[in-house]
Amino acid sequence: MFGLGVAILASAAFTKVVQAQTVFAHFMVQNSYSYSQSDWATDIKAAQAIGIDGFALNIATETPNYEIAKMADAYAAAESLDFKLWISFDMTYNWAEADMVSLVTAHASSSAAYQWKGKPLVSTYAGESQGDSFWSSFKSTLSSAGIDIVLAPAFTTYRDPADASSLLSTFSSIDGFFNWWSWPADVNSLLTTDTDLAYKSAIAARGGPYIMAVSPWQFKNIDGAGDWVELSDTLWNYRWQQAVNDVKPDIVEIVTWNDYGESHYISDINPNVNLGSQAPLYVNGFDHSYWRDIAQYYIEYFKKGSAPAVTLDEVVFWYRAFPKGITCSSGTRPRNADFPADAVFALAMLAEPANVTVSIGSQTTTFYAGAGLTMGSVPFPTEDKQIPYVEIKRADNEVASGYGSVYVDQSGCTYYNMNPWVGRITAT
Ligand SMILES: *[C@@H]1O[C@H](CO)[C@@H](O)[C@H](O)[C@H]1NC(C)=O
């Protein structure tokens, strides 16, 4: 009897341990217009290389058009690569229930359909204005067709921690919740975890996942679609720390994989994607791919539940190409333009302690960094057209060094751009 009891306890503990934490990335299907199935496979492999388990497919249109067909390619590619997907309806568009039901039905039995506790998960961007009756009808129509889903929407007006209980009393139909808010709310201070903790705790009563958004940046400058920046200078480091140390959500959703227009992409810039006429003015040449190195570290941290060892000395650094006070000849000076610091930001990821120097023009900062991750920065200089230099030095030996490849211009620009360029140096 004693032996059996121990075995049951041990297997219950084991089950808990192997229920791995999940990391998704928000994927804008509208940017897949020119994709073939092999383009999907390329993105999926790049995501898998850093530990991402799946994409939340943000679909914008309600009428059958290219996004529906591209989504089918995504499922085919994901099935062959053992990658997961869920549908994230952009409810700021005018979706009809029948179109949503047919899209969910088309993919619910795919081996790539992500399941939460045995049921396919469906998410959204917004959708609270449709009301609970819309969502309960959507779910019961699917249920009648034999598909029981888990609904985990991002009802974006629910941001105030004080509204968490009214989310549940207003929406009897929701099972989980996706907190979209992964940037400060138009304030010049850091994002807190107050919203995360309140909604995570509230939604636990429904059994569905609490999905926490983690984002590296927010800047948009498209006339008619918005012009703003949010304070994001060190967000990509501290938001992940909030996820792994404080919030510990069921699922992290990286916002985003490929939303170029809002500057929070971590994918390589795909030259096939048509971004219209304005986004390319601040996206082209502003590579973010090395932000994935930081994500890889924290994804491993999140899944293990403890800090992984860094094995390769590296500094990832990012900076804007213009000081915030500059006058540009076109574009709109964005809302909150005074918030970001005029500085080069550098995150050291070290196997062993070292001294890290970041310089630009006449400005130099050296900081001691222990094993693991350490954030540093150096302010922009007053001299025009400077480029940063970054160096890792251990005792008197240089471990790695290198330059940024975008100059910081002090004397004029052609378009308001607060999207950073991201570079790295690594030990060879
Ligand atoms: C960092 O620099 C200080 C001052 O030069 C030096 O004493 C120390 O040994 C350096 N630390 C490492 C880990 O290289």
Side-chain angles (χ1 to χ4, degrees), residues 352-356 366-369 393-397:
E352 291 170 47
N355 289 306
V356 176
T366 297
F367 58 97
Y368 171 87
K393 219 169 164 186
R394 189 163 287 133
D396 286 330
N397 304 315

